[in-house]
Amino acid sequence: MPDHKQLYMQGLTHLAKGNLDDALAGFQQAVEAKPDFLEGHLGVAQAYERKRMLDDAVTAARRAIEVSPNDPLTHTTLSRLYQQKGMIPEAEEEMAVSRRLQAGV
């Protein structure tokens, strides 16, 4: 059985080829194997985003924030998704959190 990193890399390969269902499955298996695997959760969010399943992408991004609340990328990801959903105040708030984290404030 492949480990979480191998599953994640398989997901990335599928994502690069445009095989979104296979990419999503790889990322989901990676986080099942290691629930606190940040990159896996971000991969799930990205696959859902590309599938235009924004509610599911937001859920995955929020899970990434739960795993790593001080990672600016997680907040940037959620901000971008909120923007796509037309949730501008929420998007601006998440971007502000990301900037604060990047600045170390």
Side-chain angles (χ1 to χ4, degrees):
M1 169 100 183
D3 72 6
H4 67 282
K5 290 181 183 176
Q6 291 170 316
L7 292 164
Y8 174 75
M9 293 306 295
Q10 290 170 5
L12 283 180
T13 299
H14 288 299
L15 192 67
K17 293 179 180 178
N19 302 329
L20 300 180
D21 290 334
D22 292 335
L24 180 59
F27 296 138
Q28 288 173 326
Q29 289 172 0
V31 296
E32 286 170 13
K34 188 170 185 345
D36 64 346
F37 182 43
L38 175 61
E39 291 84 356
H41 289 287
L42 291 172
V44 171
Q46 186 175 18
Y48 276 132
E49 179 182 7
R50 291 210 188 163
K51 289 170 64 75
R52 304 303 303 154
M53 298 173 68
L54 296 180
D55 290 339
D56 292 317
V58 165
T59 298
R62 286 180 180 151
R63 180 68 185 115
I65 289 171
E66 290 174 14
V67 167
S68 187
N70 296 320
D71 185 320
L73 180 59
T74 60
H75 295 278
T76 300
T77 299
L78 186 55
S79 174
R80 192 182 69 249
L81 293 167
Y82 280 156
Q83 248 182 345
Q84 291 178 52
K85 288 176 59 70
M87 300 169 66
I88 303 307
E90 294 87 345
E92 290 174 350
E93 183 179 326
E94 286 299 323
M95 188 52 68
V97 171
S98 177
R99 287 189 187 113
R100 279 194 304 273
L101 290 169
Q102 289 177 43
V105 176

